[in-house]
Structure formats: C-alpha cells, structure tokens
C-alpha cells in the first residue's frame, strides 16, 4: 500500500508533459524507491492480506450527500488489503492499513480507492497515525481530508467488535480471524461540527490467493470519483512516494487515465 497524493502532476500547457518534481519530492521518491527495492515489496505496508469484500452504500436519513456514488443505496464489489505499515514482528504494535478498492463505484470502469491507517480518536488524534496491537480496537483514518461535494471532510473506518479476543494485525492472524467470520467496518465522513456521519458498511469476507508482498496498485488520486476526491495537502510529496514505491518494486509505470 502506498502513500497517496491528491491532484494530477503539474502539466505544461503547451506540450502536456509533467513538469520536473521539486527537490523535496525527488528526495522522497528516491527514498521510497530504495526502500521498496530493499524489501522487494511496497516501501510501506510491505506485507498484507488481500481479501474479497462488499461495500454497501447506506441511507442514514440525514439527506443527500450531493455525491453521485453516495446518493444511491446499493451493494458494490470491493477488494481489501489489510496490512502493517512497518512490517514489525507480530508482538509489537504497528501502524495498520486498510486499503479498499470499490469496483464500478461511479459507473462502469470508475474505480474508487480508499486508503486509511490506524489512528487516534479525538479531533487532533484522527489526523495522526497510531500504532496498534489489536486490529479491531480503534478507528482507521484517511489522516488528511477529502473534498466531498466541495467540502473538506476527513474519512474514517470504525471496525465492529465481532469477537472478544484481540486480533493482531499481521496477515496470519487476520486470516485466522476471517476464517471465523467476516470483518465489518462502518465507513464515515466528518460533518461540519466534526462528528461522524456513516456513508457505507464494508464487509471483508475471504482471503484471496495473493502473496503477502504483492498488492493491487492502490492510488487514491488516480482512482477517485466525481465530487469525492482527496484534497491537495502534501499532494506532490505523496505522489512522489507512490512513484518511488512503485518503481522500486518493479511495478509498471502508471498509465494515463482515460
């Protein structure tokens, strides 16, 4: 799973070619490339579990979102990756990742990617990654806000506590947990008063035969939809991290989106 970025790379008006990255972005890209090469996996979240899933867009009675994909209650196919940011030993807390790909979210071939990381709960803590030993103990956050129908809103996923024993976030433990039943998350967006409003329920069901070091090419900037896209904060730096991690592990270069 990669570190994201929000807007397209700057493009020269005449030739349509991307402009050269800034020095900080170039350094970030080089660093992530080196780490991905060393790990033979994504620079961050090097090991994970790829799973089948289902995302149900829900009607909460609070009125429309004015976002096309959120204003039609329905069930959508999802692919989910559950991962540990640092790849630390199982006994140690680690940043936990929740990556979601929603197929045909905004019509045919309009894929939506969401990336969230274990975080704190308060108004400040929800913007800060938080290492965690139990994958179901607390929320996951986008850390930086999205633009949802023109408004700045953080996104979060709240796991439902469906079992009493702690569930470590390593792939083996998550696979064992899924063998006992699906994992369910309430997906929410911030409101104007910084409370949470639910927009979907994510159900993670079965493990796919994908190597722990392999991953879909999640990219929240490339795979966003109408009126629901990441904001511009740290965009250039995060895109550079994506490029470095992708090239370091030998993934194909990003093709232009049609």
């Amino acid at each position: 799973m990669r570190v994201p970025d929000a807007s397209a790379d700057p493009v020269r008006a005449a030739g349509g070619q991307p402009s050269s990255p800034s020095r900080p972005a170039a350094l970030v890209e080089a660093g992530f490339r080196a780490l991905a090469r060393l790990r033979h996996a994504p620079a961050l979240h090097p090991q994970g579990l790829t799973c089948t899933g289902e995302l149900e867009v829900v009607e909460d009675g609070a009125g429309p979102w004015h976002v096309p994909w959120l204003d039609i209650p329905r069930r959508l196919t999802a692919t989910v990756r559950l991962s540990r940011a640092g790849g630390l030993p199982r006994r140690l807390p680690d940043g936990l990742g929740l990556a979601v790909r929603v197929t045909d979210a905004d019509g045919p071939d309009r894929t939506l990617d969401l990336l969230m990381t274990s975080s704190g709960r308060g108004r400040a803590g929800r913007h800060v990654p938080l290492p965690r030993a139990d994958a179901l103990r607390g929320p996951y956050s986008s850390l930086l806000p999205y633009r949802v129908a023109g408004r700045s809103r953080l996104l979060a996923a709240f796991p439902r506590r469906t079992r009493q024993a702690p569930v470590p976030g390593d792939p083996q433990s998550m696979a064992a947990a899924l063998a006992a039943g699906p994992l369910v998350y309430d997906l929410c967006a911030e409101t104007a008063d910084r409370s949470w409003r639910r927009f979907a329920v994510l159900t993670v069901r079965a493990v796919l035969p994908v190597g722990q070091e392999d991953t879909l090419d999640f990219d929240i900037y490339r795979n966003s939809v109408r009126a629901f896209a990441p904001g511009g904060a740290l965009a250039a730096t995060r895109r550079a991290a994506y490029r470095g991690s992708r090239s370091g592990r030998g993934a194909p270069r990003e093709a232009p989106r049609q």
Side-chain angles (χ1 to χ4, degrees):
M1 199 167 69
R2 291 162 306 179
V3 183
D5 185 59
S7 55
D9 288 334
V11 177
R12 293 200 300 265
Q17 297 297 320
S19 61
S20 299
S22 66
R23 179 170 175 78
L27 291 173
V28 168
E29 182 173 348
F32 273 71
R33 183 186 300 114
L35 185 55
R37 283 177 178 166
L38 180 65
R39 288 179 155 176
H40 303 287
L44 292 179
H45 300 271
Q47 294 185 328
L49 199 66
T50 303
C51 311
T52 63
E54 172 184 280
L55 187 142
E56 181 183 2
V57 180
V58 297
E59 170 57 64
D60 68 348
W65 289 89
H66 303 292
V67 175
W69 87 277
L70 292 184
D71 286 336
I72 304 174
R74 60 213 158 111
R75 295 179 185 271
L76 297 164
T77 300
T79 305
V80 181
R81 189 172 190 257
L82 308 168
S83 59
R84 288 166 65 85
L88 299 177
R90 173 184 174 180
R91 66 182 181 276
L92 298 177
D94 202 342
L96 304 182
L98 176 65
V100 184
R101 170 159 294 175
V102 186
T103 304
D104 298 337
D106 195 22
D109 299 322
R110 298 299 298 183
T111 298
L112 173 66
D113 284 352
L114 300 172
L115 297 178
M116 288 175 275
T117 301
S118 55
S119 69
R121 293 180 178 274
R123 293 192 176 188
R126 64 184 63 174
H127 293 276
V128 180
L130 180 68
R132 187 174 295 146
D134 183 350
L136 303 183
R137 187 176 180 181
Y140 294 72
S141 168
S142 62
L143 301 183
L144 293 172
Y146 270 59
R147 297 296 294 175
V148 179
R151 295 186 177 184
S152 180
R153 300 179 186 265
L154 204 68
L155 305 182
F158 294 88
R160 296 184 185 177
R161 191 89 219 183
T162 54
R163 54 214 73 191
Q164 295 301 316
V167 179
D170 63 283
Q172 293 83 0
S173 297
M174 298 302 289
L178 284 167
L183 300 177
V184 181
Y185 303 79
D186 291 301
L187 304 188
C188 302
E190 276 185 332
T191 62
D193 65 0
R194 305 291 299 279
S195 61
W196 295 108
R197 179 184 173 189
R198 187 176 66 163
F199 62 83
V201 176
L202 173 68
T203 302
V204 185
R205 297 197 179 277
V207 179
L208 289 169
V210 176
Q212 292 182 13
E213 290 76 22
D214 298 324
T215 177
L216 295 173
D217 201 15
F218 290 100
D219 188 328
I220 63 172
Y221 302 102
R222 176 175 168 77
N223 296 322
S224 60
V225 295
R226 291 175 295 165
F228 192 94
L234 300 180
T237 300
R238 298 169 84 186
R239 264 197 187 280
Y242 272 6
R243 289 194 302 269
S245 182
R246 185 186 297 120
S247 64
R249 71 178 191 269
R253 291 180 62 86
E254 178 182 356
R257 184 169 183 171
Q258 301 299 320

